[in-house]
Amino acid sequence: ASMKRPLIVAHRGARLEAPENTMLAFQKAKEMGADGVELDVLLSKDKHWVITHNDDLRQYAGVPGRVCRSNLTDLRSLDFGSHFSSQFKGEKIPTLAELFDFLRGDMMINVEIKESNIRR
């Protein structure tokens, strides 16, 4: 089958509209008509795939620590939105399972597995 147009894939969601790699960024990408989303995942200490580009929590949550050394409960207590804008204060880190549930096959999902902790 030939393509009628190029696919539009929202890199880390609609990251100019909402904090990247958050459910809000993926929701906005869907609302804007993207064909799919690209995202990064890391494995938390308790073996949950969480959506984030960087293992260092300082970049997105503003606290010292690493995703791979944190349990999901601890990661969920952090604010992954304020670094983008105060209007997104309290935005939580999503899991890959949550994104699959949210999109329910409506969009293509390109998952990049970050390798910093996959062999542990």
Side-chain angles (χ1 to χ4, degrees), residues 57 61 63 70-81 89-94:
L57 291 169
V63 298
S70 304
N71 289 322
L72 182 60
T73 302
D74 296 332
L75 291 168
R76 295 287 195 161
S77 72
L78 301 174
D79 175 359
F80 279 78
K89 182 179 181 179
E91 186 67 17
K92 303 298 179 203
I93 191 171

Side-chain angles (χ1 to χ4, degrees), residues 8 25 63 68 71 98 107-108 118:
I8 298 169
V63 298
C68 70
N71 289 322
E98 288 172 330
M107 298 174 78
M108 176 185 71
I118 197 166

Side-chain angles (χ1 to χ4, degrees), residues 31-50:
E31 290 168 0
M32 295 170 81
D35 298 301
V37 293
E38 180 278 342
L39 54 101
D40 310 287
V41 295
L42 282 161
L43 202 55
S44 67
K45 183 179 178 180
D46 54 348
K47 309 296 185 213
H48 292 273
W49 288 109
V50 293

Side-chain angles (χ1 to χ4, degrees), residues 11 51 83 114:
H11 186 72
I51 303 173
H83 75 278
K114 297 294 189 176

